[in-house]
Amino acid sequence: MEILELYAGIGGCAVAAAGRLPVIAAIDQDEAAHHTYVHNLDHPAHRWNLVGVRPERLAALGASLWWMSPPCQPFTVRGRGRDVDDARCQSFLTVIDRIEALWPDAIALENVPGFAGSRAHARLRAVLRLGGYQVDEGLRCPSELGVPNRRRRFYLVAHRHAEVRLPPIPDPAVPRRPLSGYLDPEPEGTLYLSDAFLQRYRGALSVVDARDRLAICECFTSAYGRSPVHAGSYLRDDVGVRRFSISETLALLGFPATFRLPNDLSEGKARKLVGNSLSVPVVARILDTIRDMAGPRVAP
Ligand SMILES: C[S@@+](CC[C@H](N)C(=O)[O-])C[C@H]1O[C@@H](n2cnc3c(N)ncnc32)[C@H](O)[C@@H]1O
């Protein structure tokens, strides 16, 4: 089973797939995401716009599992929830059409919880039904896997020739890792918040304590560092209250310490790319489950 990583971003799915399943190609139109991907990963990465992508181009890649994390703004309140009427949903409608044209063996999708019940969701489900796929879907969060970070997301897995299920989570067998294990030993001084900022947003900030072994931080979104509230937690340590560094947010997403963002990326762009990515341990579990359950093909 070989993966085509659609909407690859910085390659969260490829990082999760390492040692599990081969990734044969990745597609994303964004220059900085592409740059970051090729900086860290060896798989062929194409800077293509998926809107109207020709079926032959996807067929030529020869993947049997299409992983996709389409843009989530059409399904969020902040993005106005315009669903299929949002221009940012157009590429996903193309991808649904390409599923109908090419019928890859397996599909996996990650998106915000608001995707569930959307018109885009209904359209995808209708095509999967037409193609005879068996489907499982639901919400999963890395905090249910012992990671001290919330990132509740909707996942869908589908297979044409086998029954696949999302992995059962929470998993009581996974030990909880305290937040302290994800923190930089020497955080940059520029991360600390001024007294004026703390006064202004007092009561509205989510602040977790570095010494709290049970602390769980909120989901870090692409607006973290730009939007003062509802974009992720702040950290209280021995020095003061600060933002989490980019390397700490990457670690909380499950990226290895060897993963590097290109030096020429602005902080804002880097935060955006990282906030758009996904939880590597959750996706790794899902890939394991698809690989183990799909097994040999049982019917043409
Ligand atoms: C939610 S992010 C996915 C992030 C990815 N899972 C990761 O690990 O970084 C959505 C991605 O879709 C890409 N994208 C949006 N519209 C696209 C289009 N029309 N064609 C190709 N890529 C697109 C964006 O550049 C962004 O990287």
Side-chain angles (χ1 to χ4, degrees):
M1 183 170 269
E2 290 154 325
I3 302 176
L4 168 60
E5 192 178 12
L6 297 170
Y7 307 100
I10 61 173
C13 172
V15 170
R20 294 186 161 80
L21 287 169
V23 175
I24 57 164
I27 299 175
D28 198 292
Q29 67 175 1
D30 184 80
E31 185 180 0
H34 175 80
H35 194 177
T36 307
Y37 195 101
V38 298
H39 198 68
N40 288 281
L41 296 152
D42 293 334
H43 324 296
H46 305 287
R47 241 195 98 198
W48 294 350
N49 183 350
L50 286 163
V51 176
V53 67
R54 293 205 322 274
E56 312 85 72
R57 284 185 110 182
L58 297 181
L61 300 173
S64 52
L65 165 58
W66 292 10
W67 175 277
M68 58 194 77
S69 302
C72 59
Q73 298 92 338
F75 315 106
T76 63
V77 176
R78 200 172 249 188
R80 302 219 189 119
R82 296 181 59 233
D83 203 329
V84 293
D85 298 328
D86 189 317
R88 292 166 290 193
C89 204
Q90 290 313 301
S91 62
F92 183 55
L93 298 180
T94 296
V95 169
I96 296 175
D97 285 349
R98 300 306 174 254
I99 294 171
E100 189 171 355
L102 300 171
W103 301 124
D105 285 347
I107 305 289
L109 172 140
E110 177 250 11
N111 215 284
V112 290
F115 179 84
S118 65
R119 282 177 285 154
H121 181 203
R123 201 179 288 200
L124 174 65
R125 288 297 307 249
V127 165
L128 295 177
R129 201 173 313 118
L130 198 65
Y133 288 80
Q134 303 198 47
V135 180
D136 191 25
E137 56 184 30
L139 298 172
R140 298 289 186 270
C141 181
S143 63
E144 299 166 329
L145 281 177
V147 180
N149 188 202
R150 290 196 180 85
R151 196 176 182 89
R152 202 159 155 265
R153 290 291 181 266
F154 172 84
Y155 295 91
L156 174 149
V157 290
H159 202 289
R160 274 193 103 195
H161 312 293
E163 187 180 356
V164 283
R165 294 214 159 273
L166 285 175
I169 294 179
D171 185 342
V174 179
R176 191 187 185 112
R177 279 192 65 193
L179 186 57
S180 55
Y182 295 82
L183 303 180
D184 294 341
E186 291 179 26
E188 280 176 41
T190 53
L191 294 170
Y192 286 91
L193 306 179
S194 67
D195 288 343
F197 182 97
L198 288 170
Q199 275 301 323
R200 181 162 180 201
Y201 294 104
R202 198 156 47 132
L205 304 178
S206 154
V207 181
V208 290
D209 196 295
R211 282 159 301 193
D212 181 353
R213 294 186 62 79
L214 299 179
I216 300 182
C217 33
E218 294 303 323
C219 177
F220 295 99
T221 75
S222 57
Y224 191 63
R226 193 160 38 88
S227 181
V229 293
H230 306 310
S233 294
Y234 297 89
L235 183 77
R236 177 173 290 106
D237 64 15
D238 293 338
V239 179
V241 179
R242 65 172 177 86
R243 289 193 303 279
F244 282 80
S245 70
I246 292 173
S247 59
E248 288 167 338
T249 48
L250 273 170
L252 284 161
L253 286 176
F255 281 76
T258 49
F259 194 92
R260 290 274 176 274
L261 295 169
N263 289 333
D264 56 356
L265 273 190
S266 69
E267 163 149 11
K269 187 66 192 179
R271 294 261 185 210
K272 189 168 177 197
L273 291 177
V274 174
N276 270 338
S277 194
L278 44 70
S279 171
V280 170
V282 175
V283 173
R285 290 246 160 165
I286 292 173
L287 294 178
D288 278 345
T289 312
I290 296 175
R291 182 198 56 203
D292 297 346
M293 296 188 82
R297 292 177 64 139
V298 294

